[in-house]
């Protein structure tokens, strides 16, 4: 049996190859005795031989409109190693463009080299660029948990911002870093697979574009080279991709660029703090060990020409963490930090966090002081697409709003649109130097008569819903007598009905976090607004709550339990995730039992409000699964009543404030 014969494919992969739904493949399997037999997997998730499947599909006319690229990917995936499959896809890109291209990665196995040759033939027959982009996208999807990429829409927005904000030299002699005398040079010091450079090449319509990219992961760097080779084909574009750690071993030291785009690795503690302590790039101060993102900010600034612009993706905590306030202050005083944009959740990984874009610019020649004494703060977090289960920005509206706001950056007297505000530097340079847009962009305008009427209508609807919940809950009866039998979380874990995982403290020292990250929820976040404020490398997260898991806060002052909904979320210290066996436990029933205040009191280890709760001692009512659902529904209703009560309280207090302000200014009629 050849290596090709041994490659297993699932029903889902067969469906993708044939361009049909999985149900159609299952139907073929039932109706046709000649359909290949299972070679592995399970009855629920069977696997079949790729060679036999391909033969059967061809014999039965199921591959008439399907290209060979669909048959290629399972073979790349079968290489196993992320690095080898990535390097093989990159080598295939070179072979697609030229059949005589030599292998530049000698570490590839003979099997991978044969696959590269075959992929080259398919690409030249079906379109080199399209075939490469297909293989690259499949590779990214397969390794999504290990990688953090920049979505194309965000990359396009960042490129447009940088091109719009930069101050082009008046004499037109800005030139590229190569000294060609004209054109534009772009730097991306953490390029991944080249999304940002490719977007900039698409948006820039001038002559002489030079793309300077750096990536320390060899597979990603090779894939970026493959992508940018296609971008440069037939255009006045030159691409240089270096495989290096840009902070520790800058391959473009001394080179200046017109614009820089960067989506750096987040939460990376081992970024070179000790060996780079005296580096000349830190003109705004040595970045603290816990502030690697500010090292990347200063790195791109050090590479900008006068008047050059940079756009950097950053986690929201960088705007307010105490450790970075001195550097933020210097960036503001020198005019380097011109704007901060808060993005809606879902704009990039991690998708549940509202990331930020920092817009930076160096002073043009002839300016000894910053050209203005304010900074533009833009809150675009409201541009989430409504009606979607997963966070998803409305990219059209988002891009239009952000670019409109940034167009006012250098126009004295022109006010930015609502949701964006110019803040004088004197107001920002306080003890915190907090540049979080939402802190300054909250609306302070008085509500109109129509808005007040709508608010009263909403409040009345809440009261109606509250009354309905109260009526249903008050109608419930409870039997007198001995209480029901209970068990503990510890016993449920022993019985296999639960899997208990404890959260962790955010590590002060961690390895490189170039791969994907996950939002980190802490007890402090729960006491604030319940929104995760930290990030943690996915590979180092000890407890990750998935949708349907029960999360418990194991400290008396913040004791609560709930069923997690939404994307995966890492848990900090004193937080726990309980993964339930749905054949034995209803998650909402479990959360309702655990949430009982008496549980926290009984399981607390000390009398103070800061004491820990022994999760394994928490009591759970013992009921068969069918009865749990009845209790679960009542727990849900009680939870909904509690939430609605809190919402109505806030809305009512807001109405009191608004009405009081209006009354105090006169104009009462009727």
């Amino acid at each position: 049996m050849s290596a090709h014969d041994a490659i297993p494919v699932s029903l889902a992969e067969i469906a993708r190859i044939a361009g049909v739904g999985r149900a159609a493949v299952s139907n073929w399997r039932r109706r046709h005795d000649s359909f290949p037999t299972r070679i592995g997997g399970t009855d629920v998730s069977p696997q079949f031989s790729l060679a036999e499947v391909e033969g059967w599909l061809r014999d039965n006319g199921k591959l008439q409109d399907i290209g060979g690229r669909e048959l290629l990917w399972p073979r790349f995936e079968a290489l196993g190693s992320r690095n080898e499959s990535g390097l093989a896809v990159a080598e295939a890109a070179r072979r697609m463009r030229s059949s005589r291209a030599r292998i530049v990665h000698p570490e590839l196995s003979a099997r991978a080299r044969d696959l590269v040759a075959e992929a080259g033939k398919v690409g030249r027959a079906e379109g080199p660029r399209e075939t490469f982009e297909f293989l690259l996208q499949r590779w990214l999807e397969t390794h999504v948990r290990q990688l953090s990429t920049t979505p194309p829409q965000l990359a396009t927005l960042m490129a447009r911002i940088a091109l719009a904000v930069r101050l082009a030299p008046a004499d037109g002699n800005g030139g590229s870093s190569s000294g060609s005398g004209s054109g534009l040079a772009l730097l991306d010091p953490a390029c991944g697979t080249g999304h940002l450079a490719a977007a900039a090449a698409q948006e820039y319509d001038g002559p002489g574009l030079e793309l300077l990219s750096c990536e320390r992961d060899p597979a990603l760097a090779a894939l970026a080279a493959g992508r940018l080779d296609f971008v440069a084909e037939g255009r006045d574009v030159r691409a240089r991709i270096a495989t290096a750690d840009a902070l520790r071993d800058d391959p473009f030291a001394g080179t200046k660029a017109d614009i820089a785009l960067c989506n750096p690795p987040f939460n990376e503690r081992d970024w070179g703090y000790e060996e780079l302590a005296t580096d000349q790039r830190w003109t705004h101060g040595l970045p603290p060990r816990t502030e690697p993102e500010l090292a990347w900010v200063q790195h791109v600034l050090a590479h900008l020409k006068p008047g050059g612009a940079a756009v950097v993706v950053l986690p929201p905590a960088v705007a307010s963490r105490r450790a970075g306030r001195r550097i933020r202050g210097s960036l503001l005083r020198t005019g380097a930090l011109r704007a901060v944009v808060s993005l809606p959740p879902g704009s990039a990984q991690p998708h549940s966090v509202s990331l930020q874009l920092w817009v930076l610019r160096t002073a043009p020649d002839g300016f000894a002081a910053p050209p203005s004494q304010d900074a533009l703060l833009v809150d675009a977090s409201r541009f989430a697409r409504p009606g979607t289960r997963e966070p998803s920005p409305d990219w059209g509206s988002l891009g239009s709003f952000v670019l409109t706001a940034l167009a006012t950056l250098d126009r004295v007297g022109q006010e930015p649109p609502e949701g964006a505000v110019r803040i004088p530097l004197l107001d920002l340079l306080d003890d915190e130097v907090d540049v979080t847009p939402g802190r300054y962009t909250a609306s302070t305008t008085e509500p109109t008569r129509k808005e007040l009427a709508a608010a009263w209508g909403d409040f009345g609807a809440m009261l109606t819903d509250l009354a309905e919940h109260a009526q249903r809950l008050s109608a419930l009866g409870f039997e007198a007598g001995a209480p029901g039998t209970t068990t503990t979380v510890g016993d449920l874990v022993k019985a296999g009905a639960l899997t208990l995982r404890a959260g962790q403290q955010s590590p002060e020292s961690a390895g490189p976090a170039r791969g994907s990250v996950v939002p980190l929820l802490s007890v402090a976040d729960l006491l604030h607004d319940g929104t995760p404020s930290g990030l943690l490398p996915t590979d180092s997260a000890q407890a990750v709550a998935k949708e349907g898991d029960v999360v418990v806060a194991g400290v008396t002052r913040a004791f609560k339990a709930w069923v997690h909904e939404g994307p995966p979320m890492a848990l900090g210290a004193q937080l726990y995730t309980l993964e339930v066996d749905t054949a034995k436990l209803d998650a909402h029933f479990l959360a309702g039992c655990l949430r009982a205040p008496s549980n926290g009191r009984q399981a607390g280890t000390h009398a103070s409000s800061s004491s820990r709760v022994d999760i394994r001692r928490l009591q759970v009512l013992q009921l068969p699964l069918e009865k749990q659902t009845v209790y679960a529904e009542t727990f849900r209703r009680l939870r909904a009543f509690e939430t609605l009560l809190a919402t109505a309280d806030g809305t009512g207090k807001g109405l009191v404030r608004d009405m009081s302000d209006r009354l105090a200014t006169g104009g009462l009629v009727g």
Side-chain angles (χ1 to χ4, degrees):
M1 181 178 291
S2 68
H4 189 174
D5 294 330
I7 296 173
V9 289
S10 65
L11 290 175
E13 289 169 323
I14 296 172
R16 189 191 288 264
I17 291 171
V20 298
R22 179 170 173 171
V25 179
S26 298
N27 190 39
W28 294 342
R29 190 185 178 199
R30 287 193 304 268
R31 292 178 53 195
H32 298 278
D33 294 336
S34 59
F35 193 87
T37 57
R38 174 166 70 93
I39 64 168
T42 65
D43 291 337
V44 177
S45 301
Q47 293 183 326
F48 306 86
S49 164
L50 174 62
E52 293 178 3
V53 166
E54 179 182 350
W56 188 90
L57 292 174
R58 292 192 185 280
D59 293 343
N60 288 271
K62 307 295 185 183
L63 285 178
Q64 296 176 359
D65 300 321
I66 304 300
R69 66 184 68 159
E70 288 286 359
L71 292 164
L72 278 176
W73 173 248
R75 299 178 61 189
F76 278 98
E77 190 173 23
L79 292 175
S81 163
R82 177 186 79 93
N83 286 344
E84 183 168 41
S85 59
L87 292 175
V89 171
E91 289 284 7
R94 299 178 65 254
R95 190 64 64 90
M96 291 173 198
R97 298 178 67 242
S98 172
S99 60
R100 297 184 178 181
R102 294 185 301 173
I103 295 288
V104 297
H105 293 94
E107 65 269 30
L108 288 179
S109 64
R111 180 184 182 189
R113 292 173 180 239
D114 291 342
L115 183 54
V116 166
E118 185 172 341
K121 295 177 182 177
V122 173
R124 291 192 296 274
E126 299 185 4
R129 187 167 185 171
E130 295 80 2
T131 303
F132 168 71
E133 288 291 345
F134 167 81
L135 293 173
L136 174 60
Q137 186 58 35
R138 293 301 302 275
W139 187 83
L140 291 172
E141 290 172 358
T142 300
H143 303 290
V144 65
R145 294 186 179 276
Q146 305 170 16
L147 303 169
S148 181
T149 60
T150 307
Q153 302 95 326
L154 178 58
T156 297
L157 176 60
M158 292 172 65
R160 289 176 178 175
I161 291 172
L163 291 169
V165 169
R166 80 181 183 102
L167 299 174
D171 61 1
N173 292 326
S176 69
S177 63
S178 62
S180 61
S182 64
L184 181 132
L186 171 139
L187 173 71
D188 181 357
C191 70
T193 55
H195 285 80
L196 290 170
Q202 182 178 359
E203 294 302 314
Y204 177 68
D205 58 2
L209 177 62
E210 185 173 20
L211 304 174
L212 307 173
S213 301
C214 181
E215 172 55 52
R216 67 188 177 196
D217 185 310
L220 298 183
L223 289 167
R227 164 178 271 164
L228 297 183
D229 282 344
F230 282 115
V231 168
E233 200 167 28
R235 297 181 55 190
D236 185 11
V237 176
R238 291 190 303 159
R240 294 165 56 193
I241 295 91
T243 304
D245 184 328
L247 290 183
R248 284 190 168 93
D249 185 19
D250 185 3
F252 301 117
T255 301
K256 299 292 184 179
D258 298 281
I259 63 173
L261 303 175
C262 186
N263 185 355
F266 297 162
N267 201 49
E268 183 181 69
R269 298 294 181 260
D270 184 23
W271 57 270
Y273 173 79
E274 289 85 1
E275 59 262 47
L276 298 175
T278 60
D279 197 283
Q280 295 183 354
R281 287 171 291 182
W282 316 144
T283 57
H284 299 279
L286 172 64
R289 185 191 303 275
T290 57
E291 294 286 340
E293 294 86 2
L294 292 177
W296 289 100
V297 166
Q298 294 191 77
H299 174 80
V300 297
L301 280 171
H303 282 282
L304 287 182
K305 296 178 182 178
V311 183
V312 185
V313 184
L314 295 175
V318 180
S320 59
R321 279 195 295 241
R322 186 172 180 81
R325 69 188 187 281
R326 182 168 57 88
I327 293 177
R328 291 195 300 271
S330 177
L331 292 170
L332 289 168
R333 281 190 295 270
T334 58
L337 179 57
R338 299 298 296 119
V340 177
V341 180
S342 285
L343 298 170
S347 298
Q349 292 175 311
H351 292 292
S352 60
V353 173
S354 179
L355 297 172
Q356 294 177 352
L357 297 180
W358 280 27
V359 181
L360 306 142
R361 192 171 65 193
T362 51
D365 286 332
F367 282 94
S372 61
Q373 292 296 320
D374 57 26
L376 182 67
L377 302 181
V378 183
D379 188 357
S381 59
R382 70 181 187 273
F383 287 97
R385 191 181 303 277
T388 56
R389 182 177 179 85
E390 297 292 334
S392 175
D394 181 352
W395 286 107
S397 300
L398 169 64
S400 177
F401 168 71
V402 171
L403 291 171
T404 299
L406 289 172
T408 68
L409 194 60
D410 299 311
R411 297 178 183 176
V412 179
Q414 182 174 346
E415 291 299 318
E418 184 177 355
V421 62
R422 280 201 188 94
I423 302 296
L425 296 188
L426 288 177
D427 293 340
L428 291 171
L429 296 173
D430 54 15
D431 290 339
E432 296 180 355
V433 196
D434 189 341
V435 293
T436 304
R439 180 176 178 179
Y440 305 92
T441 58
S443 176
T444 58
T445 58
E446 291 184 350
T448 64
R449 181 175 181 178
K450 184 177 181 180
E451 289 171 339
L452 274 176
W456 278 113
D458 292 341
F459 186 66
M462 291 180 197
L463 293 180
T464 301
D465 291 342
L466 274 171
E468 180 186 352
H469 281 303
Q471 182 179 8
R472 289 177 176 267
L473 289 169
S474 64
L476 295 173
F478 296 91
E479 296 180 2
T485 305
T486 61
T487 186
T488 66
V489 168
D491 289 338
L492 290 172
V493 171
K494 292 178 182 178
L498 288 177
T499 300
L500 172 64
R501 296 185 181 89
Q504 70 203 84
Q505 198 74 35
S506 180
E508 288 300 317
S509 178
R514 190 65 188 100
S516 63
V517 292
V518 63
L520 175 66
L521 180 73
S522 67
V523 170
D525 296 331
L526 283 181
L527 294 172
H528 183 236
D529 61 2
T531 302
S533 63
L535 297 170
L536 198 66
T538 303
D539 293 343
S540 66
Q542 295 177 5
V544 176
K546 305 181 297 299
E547 186 167 9
D549 289 350
V550 175
V551 181
V552 183
V555 60
T556 304
R557 63 193 168 112
F559 178 69
K560 63 187 301 186
W562 70 95
V563 178
H564 178 63
E565 297 176 346
M569 174 181 68
L571 302 179
Q574 298 180 327
L575 294 174
Y576 302 82
T577 178
L578 301 173
E579 182 180 352
V580 304
D581 181 346
T582 55
K584 299 177 181 178
L585 274 176
D586 183 293
H588 288 276
F589 166 77
L590 175 64
C593 289
L594 298 179
R595 198 161 45 234
S598 58
N599 239 334
R601 292 193 297 270
Q602 294 173 5
T605 56
H606 300 91
S608 70
S609 64
S610 62
S611 65
R612 296 182 180 181
V613 172
D614 187 345
I615 300 300
R616 292 180 176 272
R617 290 173 54 195
L618 293 176
Q619 300 291 311
V620 180
L621 189 62
Q622 281 190 301
L623 288 176
L625 187 60
E626 58 272 14
K627 287 190 176 182
Q628 290 180 27
T629 57
V630 178
Y631 276 75
E633 180 59 34
T634 306
F635 277 131
R636 281 198 191 97
R637 182 173 292 280
L638 194 61
R639 181 66 169 165
F641 177 77
E642 180 185 27
T643 302
L644 191 57
L645 192 62
T647 304
D649 177 64
T651 302
K653 289 178 179 177
L655 282 167
V656 170
R657 288 193 300 269
D658 292 338
M659 290 292 288
S660 297
D661 285 340
R662 294 300 298 271
L663 284 170
T665 58
L668 180 64
V669 295

